[in-house]
C-alpha cells in the first residue's frame, strides 16, 4: 500500500523560477531514497473561501501563490527510511538548496492510502 507526503506552501509569485529550480534539485534525491513520484503544482485556480481556504492555511500574502505538492512512497516504512536519508544528505541542506519561500508557513503531513 502506498504512502504520500503532502505539502502546501505560500511562494512569492516572483520566485516561481527559483521554486521550480529548488524542486528540480530535490525531486531526484527523493527518488534516489525510495520515492516513486514527486509532484509539484503552482496554484492557478485556488478559490478564496469564507471560512477556510489554502491561502489562510499558509498565511499567504497578496504577492504569494499557493503551491501544492506531494511525494509518493511504496510504504510508510520506505518513507520513514527515505526521509531519514534525505535530511542527512548534504545536497538538501539550506546552503545547497535554499527554500525560496517561508518554510515556517509550510504545512505538510503523511497520509496512508485508502483502498477503494
Amino acid at each position: 500500500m502506498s504512502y504520500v507526503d503532502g505539502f502546501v506552501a505560500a511562494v512569492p509569485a516572483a520566485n516561481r523560477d527559483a521554486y521550480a529550480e529548488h524542486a528540480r534539485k530535490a525531486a531526484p534525491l527523493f527518488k534516489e531514497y525510495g520515492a516513486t513520484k514527486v509532484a509539484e503544482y503552482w496554484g492557478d485556480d485556488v478559490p478564496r473561501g469564507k471560512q477556510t481556504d489554502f491561502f489562510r492555511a499558509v498565511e499567504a500574502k497578496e504577492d504569494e501563490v499557493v503551491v501544492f505538492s506531494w511525494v509518493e512512497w511504496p510504504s510508510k516504512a520506505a518513507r520513514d527510511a527515505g526521509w531519514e536519508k534525505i535530511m542527512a544528505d548534504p545536497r538538501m541542506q539550506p546552503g545547497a538548496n535554499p527554500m525560496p519561500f517561508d518554510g515556517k508557513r509550510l504545512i505538510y503531513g503523511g497520509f496512508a492510502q485508502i483502498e477503494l
Side-chain angles (χ1 to χ4, degrees):
M1 184 180 320
S2 68
Y3 195 83
V4 172
D5 284 314
F7 308 88
V8 180
V11 179
N15 287 0
R16 182 180 175 140
D17 291 342
Y19 182 85
E21 184 59 25
H22 172 77
R24 282 186 199 100
K25 287 180 179 177
L29 297 178
F30 280 90
K31 290 181 178 179
E32 179 180 331
Y33 293 125
T36 56
K37 182 172 184 170
V38 178
E40 297 283 348
Y41 294 89
W42 190 258
D44 155 284
D45 184 16
V46 182
R48 293 192 182 267
K50 292 184 180 185
Q51 290 186 341
T52 62
D53 61 28
F54 281 110
F55 294 96
R56 281 182 238 184
V58 293
E59 297 178 351
K61 299 174 183 160
E62 286 299 314
D63 66 336
E64 293 179 323
V65 174
V66 174
V67 174
F68 178 73
S69 60
W70 75 86
V71 178
E72 186 175 292
W73 304 90
S75 65
K76 186 172 189 303
R79 176 264 208 165
D80 291 346
W83 267 108
E84 187 174 328
K85 292 173 185 170
I86 287 165
M87 296 310 290
D89 192 306
R91 296 171 290 177
M92 281 298 288
Q93 301 310 308
N97 193 12
M99 292 189 302
F101 59 93
D102 181 0
K104 292 181 212 141
R105 292 184 285 134
L106 171 75
I107 59 173
Y108 59 91
F111 300 86
Q113 182 178 4
I114 296 172
E115 292 293 327
L116 302 177

